[in-house]
Amino acid sequence: MPTLTSPPALGPLLARGALLSPFKRPRPDADHPRARLLLPGLRIDLTRLAAYERVCGFPTGEDALPVTYPHVLGFPLAMRLMSAPDFPLPLLGLVHTSIDITRHRPLPATGTYELAVHVDRLAPHRRGTEASVVTELRDGGETVWESRSTYLARHRTSGTPSAEQPARHVPGPLPVLDEWRLAADVGRRYGAASGDRNPIHLYPLTARLFGFPRAIAHGMWTAARCLAAHGTPPAVRISTEFRAPVLLPGTVAFAADGSRFELRGVGDAGRVHVSGRVDRLG
């Protein structure tokens, strides 16, 4: 298990992944890196955390990590794995399609943690090949937070029935609780707080290079913003699907009822961008 002394810098990893992307030919039966990256002795940068809390709508100044923040901590390690030559999916065009999070107890922002990340598997998807990346946050050897993210590389498939899990079904429409007007700079502000400065989130010009008419919001920003509004119990399991990009600037509707939530376009026929579920543990 390779042990790191500090989080990798995201910029060089994104550049490496971009350079290698044209040479990769994704397929679900390809080999993938088996390494588990480990980062011990992790302390939280409280200034960066406060910036993240502000842009996502979480309370600031509390000695507690937002439920989505360990994903930000683990993302550089995941990028190191997914930008490596032995990762078979091209980094450019890779789409974050879902994340499942389990928090076993509250996480003090002043704590010291151990972070572990690995690629768990590749699987066929009706639109290509999907990779699962597992992130674990540990305190004194105990796993206190864990997640599984899926990333989709789109490519032609043989038409064979997919081995992926069926999409989660959200029964019935949810009542709209609020409308949010999203500024054009949301992607830049979230990128500054999280370190994820993917060009598709920054400016209309850089987004158009990848086929988007305008910059789009980070999927993990939309999830965090919804969970900040919804609230989460101390021990919780969260399932979130990213279903359609959110163009910036724009207006979206936040809808929720009990354990379910959605982010969708305004109006009765608004397109669902994000859907999720929050379940208390224990």
Side-chain angles (χ1 to χ4, degrees):
M1 180 182 293
T3 300
L4 308 180
T5 58
S6 62
L10 279 170
L13 295 178
L14 182 60
R16 180 177 73 173
L19 289 173
L20 292 175
S21 287
F23 304 100
K24 296 190 175 184
R25 298 293 179 265
R27 64 181 197 276
D29 60 344
D31 196 14
H32 61 272
R34 309 291 173 171
R36 292 173 179 259
L37 296 182
L38 184 67
L39 178 62
L42 177 64
R43 300 296 301 270
I44 309 302
D45 182 333
L46 299 181
T47 300
R48 184 179 171 192
L49 172 62
Y52 176 88
E53 291 168 335
R54 286 192 294 270
V55 74
C56 296
F58 290 106
T60 59
E62 299 182 356
D63 186 19
L65 296 182
V67 69
T68 48
Y69 197 66
H71 172 85
V72 173
L73 300 174
F75 188 65
L77 280 69
M79 279 288 293
R80 176 165 164 168
L81 293 173
M82 292 192 292
S83 66
D86 60 347
F87 183 72
L89 307 185
L91 190 65
L92 287 184
L94 207 61
V95 179
H96 195 184
T97 52
S98 74
I99 185 169
D100 292 340
I101 293 172
T102 302
R103 180 176 64 189
H104 298 281
R105 60 169 173 79
L107 309 173
T110 51
T112 301
Y113 298 98
E114 180 181 82
L115 192 63
V117 179
H118 70 277
V119 178
D120 182 53
R121 64 183 179 89
L122 300 183
H125 185 282
R126 67 182 183 280
R127 294 182 179 176
T129 298
E130 200 169 57
S132 293
V133 178
V134 173
T135 301
E136 297 172 309
L137 195 69
R138 300 170 186 155
D139 183 6
E142 174 193 6
T143 299
V144 292
W145 184 99
E146 54 195 314
S147 74
R148 178 182 295 271
S149 282
T150 56
Y151 297 90
L152 173 65
R154 296 182 181 181
H155 59 84
R156 289 184 178 180
T157 63
S158 64
T160 303
S162 172
E164 63 175 314
Q165 295 295 319
R168 300 178 182 91
H169 176 62
V170 179
L174 298 175
V176 173
L177 303 183
D178 201 359
E179 288 190 2
W180 301 333
R181 293 186 178 182
L182 309 182
D185 68 346
V186 164
R188 296 191 291 276
R189 290 192 290 121
Y190 182 83
S194 68
D196 183 0
R197 293 182 172 89
N198 188 316
I200 63 176
H201 303 304
L202 302 181
Y203 298 98
L205 178 60
T206 56
R208 282 197 290 270
L209 295 174
F210 296 91
F212 297 98
R214 304 197 298 277
I216 64 172
H218 294 72
M220 284 305 300
W221 177 84
T222 62
R225 184 68 183 87
C226 287
L227 291 167
H230 186 279
T232 54
V236 65
R237 180 175 290 113
I238 299 163
S239 299
T240 304
E241 287 186 343
F242 306 113
R243 300 172 60 179
V246 175
L247 295 174
L248 300 172
T251 302
V252 291
F254 172 68
D257 183 8
S259 62
R260 297 182 294 141
F261 65 86
E262 281 182 349
L263 194 66
R264 62 178 187 246
V266 295
D268 293 339
R271 186 182 191 185
V272 175
H273 298 290
V274 180
S275 63
R277 184 176 181 88
V278 176
D279 292 300
R280 181 185 300 272
L281 292 180

